[in-house]
Amino acid sequence: MTAERYDVAVIGYGPTGAALAARLGQLGIRTLVVEKEPDVFPLPRAAHFDHEIMRVWQRLGIAEKILPETRPIGAYEFRNAKGEVLLEFGEHERTPSGWRSSYMFHQPALEKTLREAVARLPSVTIRLRTSFAALLENGADGVRVRIEGEGGAREIAARYLIACDGAASPVRRALGIAQFDFEFDEPWLVIDAIAEAGGDALPQIGLQLCNPERPTTFMPMSPGRYRWEFMIKPGEAPAAMLEDARIAQLLEPWNRTTALRLDRKAVYRFHGLAAKTWRAGRVLLAGDAAHQMPPFAGQGLCSGVRDAENLAWKLAAVLSGEAGEALLDTYQVEREPHVRGIIETAIFMGRVVCTLDPEAAAARDRDMIAGRAATAGAPPIPPLPPLSGGAFSDLPLAGALAPQAVLGEGEACRRADDAWPDGFLYAGLEAAAARDCDWPLRVGIIDVGRDPFGAAIAAMLKGAGETGLLIRPDRYVFGAGSPQTLAAALARALRPA
Ligand SMILES: Cc1cc2nc3c(=O)[nH]c(=O)nc-3n(C[C@H](O)[C@H](O)[C@H](O)COP(=O)(O)OP(=O)(O)OC[C@H]3O[C@@H](n4cnc5c(N)ncnc54)[C@H](O)[C@@H]3O)c2cc1C
């Protein structure tokens, strides 16, 4: 029997696999997605994504569908048992991505919308109820894989395989890839509840209640839906915590103001792990298969979507022959330090919250309150780090997020990414020279002096004393400089030694 052939096989159709399939499908790449379950994962997981991810949804054409199912968070506060603020993160209406800084959402609804978008892409084949069973070959020409579904076992061949198969990643295991352990491991009960009367009496901000009696997370999610997470203390049995009567007890203080209906519940161990290598031959790991983090920063899913964005254009460039194979090695170089920084932030937040010893909690409170007073309330945690190294140039502004201009207000507003072409973009003042330039692949040209959306980038260029930016398909800045300088740097970056 000859194996079915694809350019890319994606194992796992969670948010990472779906985001990757959507982008590969937009690029017309012959993609197979293999997913063992019949439907999206039903239990409570992600509740937050950030502006950069909303911009990804926009470019996948689903932002308008998702937006009504989200809500802004307003603020995110860590409070001690007395209600004093230890840490505070504000929310911004405008970010460089052209969206609000944070959105609260319902993961299964988002995943369904994403899957509907993938289903419209003719180059993507989806096989649900089908499992990755074995990696038969991982060689210079591609991979051969055995998959098992309702019709029995079959073999498929692909030029690349992307393991988006979650934390337990059977593909990562088949490759024997070890994980670095950040040594954080705490059991928590996670509950979603629906507020019968809308929940107006509940807080409308995110809270980490750092009470050593019972560390608790509270989050407004999609409209009408709320999230609670309760730390499971030593000696408490996870199964007993999952009983409805116990959950009712835990929710009792909140239920006094609002009638709550339990929607979903689960127990997780929150931990921090990162695969030691993200590429083995023709196989690459993405999303939870490559890294896992406690949810306190709300960045696990976001990181998987960033992986997908980083990989998709590189796979497309390698498959088309516009880039050398070694471009794929830049994926881990760029993404791993970014993710590690976020894991460390999430663990820092987790250690603040998961303090059970009353004396340690009192010392934490003293230190953090004094620290806040000394820094005038500024959070001691930097925003998301820029990317660097890998397939970025060593030119100015490399690794920054390219700003997206927004014109107008509210529902009538228009955003630059909807008007500008996908793919690489030169956005600068030397548009005529950029049109004549010998680029190593197709580059859209935006004259920021004339384009209605050009002002944000013109301001960035002015601040840096530069004339033009080259923006990558994932909307990170490749570098700033003249068209010729950028074209030469891009040619080198696409064929790393
Ligand atoms: C309580 C909690 C709260 C969280 N909150 C946030 C948050 O607010 N913001 C945020 O960004 N992230 C958050 N996260 C993290 C986020 O949910 C995950 O990072 C994200 O779901 C990972 O997506 P993924 O696609 O990489 O993996 P998964 O969603 O796990 O998908 C993997 C897929 O692979 C499939 N699969 C596995 N084995 C096979 C096989 N052999 N063959 C075929 N298919 C297979 C699985 O069925 C699954 O569908 C939270 C997580 C938890 C637990």
Side-chain angles (χ1 to χ4, degrees):
M1 185 181 68
T2 51
E4 288 170 48
R5 304 193 76 81
Y6 296 88
D7 287 329
V8 179
V10 175
I11 308 296
Y13 202 21
T16 306
L20 180 61
R23 179 67 74 215
L24 292 173
Q26 275 188 337
L27 295 166
I29 290 170
R30 233 172 96 76
T31 303
L32 172 70
V33 182
V34 175
E35 166 57 53
K36 72 179 164 63
E37 300 297 335
D39 208 339
V40 299
F41 187 73
L43 295 181
R45 293 198 294 174
H48 160 269
F49 62 77
D50 62 39
H51 54 96
E52 203 184 326
I53 303 310
M54 190 53 134
R55 190 177 184 183
V56 174
W57 305 147
Q58 177 197 348
R59 286 185 292 118
L60 294 178
I62 56 173
E64 296 311 321
K65 176 94 193 285
I66 286 172
L67 201 54
E69 296 168 5
T70 66
R71 71 165 126 185
I73 187 169
Y76 181 32
E77 291 183 4
F78 288 54
R79 295 184 187 167
N80 67 9
K82 288 190 224 155
E84 294 162 314
V85 175
L86 305 178
L87 269 179
E88 183 183 11
F89 301 88
E91 207 248 348
H92 309 284
E93 281 206 24
R94 284 284 164 93
T95 64
S97 303
W99 292 94
R100 297 183 82 104
S101 50
S102 294
Y103 294 86
M104 304 307 293
F105 76 110
H106 181 234
Q107 182 168 350
L110 173 105
E111 287 193 46
K112 282 186 180 149
T113 302
L114 197 47
R115 287 185 180 194
E116 282 164 18
V118 177
R120 291 192 285 270
L121 298 164
S123 70
V124 183
T125 303
I126 307 292
R127 293 251 165 78
L128 301 178
R129 296 191 175 88
T130 306
S131 292
F132 160 85
L135 183 60
L136 305 173
E137 192 180 320
N138 178 13
D141 294 332
V143 294
R144 274 191 316 115
V145 170
R146 190 169 70 245
I147 58 173
E148 291 172 358
E150 282 167 342
R154 66 168 80 194
E155 227 177 276
I156 56 130
R159 290 176 68 191
Y160 292 95
L161 180 141
I162 316 300
C164 304
D165 50 351
S169 182
V171 175
R172 188 186 66 229
R173 285 176 188 206
L175 290 162
I177 294 175
Q179 298 189 87
F180 177 86
D181 189 341
F182 289 75
E183 296 186 354
F184 182 89
D185 185 22
E186 300 291 354
W188 280 66
L189 168 69
V190 181
I191 292 161
D192 284 357
I194 314 269
E196 300 286 14
D200 293 348
L202 292 169
Q204 298 301 309
I205 63 170
L207 291 171
Q208 293 292 352
L209 302 176
C210 308
N211 182 346
E213 285 286 309
R214 175 73 70 197
T216 301
T217 306
F218 167 81
M219 294 283 163
M221 295 176 67
S222 54
R225 187 177 259 115
Y226 293 82
R227 160 74 50 87
W228 283 266
E229 298 173 6
F230 297 101
M231 186 172 174
I232 302 178
K233 295 195 282 188
E236 289 179 328
M241 294 293 282
L242 273 170
E243 284 170 13
D244 285 359
R246 183 75 184 100
I247 291 173
Q249 240 176 13
L250 290 164
L251 287 180
E252 206 267 336
W254 308 80
N255 241 326
R256 280 181 220 147
T257 55
T258 307
L260 297 168
R261 178 166 50 81
L262 183 61
D263 181 33
R264 316 184 284 171
K265 55 183 179 177
V267 163
Y268 293 101
R269 296 200 74 91
F270 293 164
H271 48 214
L273 295 167
K276 289 195 173 160
T277 177
W278 296 21
R279 179 180 179 192
R282 293 290 183 118
V283 181
L284 294 110
L285 311 182
D288 276 17
H291 43 74
Q292 295 141 58
M293 64 188 73
F296 304 104
Q299 280 292 332
L301 176 148
C302 298
S303 300
V305 173
R306 286 191 186 91
D307 293 346
E309 282 291 291
N310 191 294
L311 262 178
W313 73 265
K314 292 178 182 174
L315 283 166
V318 170
L319 287 165
S320 69
E322 289 165 320
E325 251 248 298
L327 179 65
L328 296 176
D329 291 329
T330 67
Y331 161 63
Q332 182 177 357
V333 174
E334 293 176 9
R335 292 289 309 132
E336 189 186 4
H338 193 262
V339 150
R340 278 179 165 256
I342 296 174
I343 294 176
E344 279 159 11
T345 297
I347 289 179
F348 164 81
M349 292 172 158
R351 294 205 201 289
V352 170
V353 182
C354 300
T355 304
L356 293 175
D357 175 50
E359 280 179 25
R364 171 203 66 195
D365 295 353
R366 272 194 309 277
D367 290 352
M368 293 188 74
I369 290 168
R372 249 173 82 73
T375 58
I381 297 169
L384 296 179
L387 296 185
S388 60
F392 288 99
S393 69
D394 50 12
L395 296 166
L397 300 177
L401 263 182
Q404 171 173 226
V406 183
L407 300 182
E409 292 295 329
E411 286 184 8
C413 77
R414 293 177 302 131
R415 294 183 168 82
D417 286 354
D418 295 329
W420 291 358
D422 250 344
F424 273 92
L425 281 181
Y426 169 86
L429 301 166
E430 298 178 85
R435 278 189 203 97
D436 290 342
C437 195
D438 191 14
W439 299 99
L441 45 63
R442 202 169 63 80
V443 172
I445 310 291
I446 305 293
D447 182 342
V448 295
R450 289 164 181 252
D451 191 281
F453 295 98
I457 287 178
M460 190 182 194
L461 291 171
K462 196 169 173 201
E466 296 291 338
T467 56
L469 288 185
L470 185 64
I471 301 170
R472 306 195 321 183
D474 55 8
R475 292 306 185 246
Y476 280 87
V477 174
F478 171 77
S482 70
Q484 293 76 10
T485 307
L486 290 166
L490 180 59
R492 286 193 298 277
L494 292 176
R495 301 204 177 272

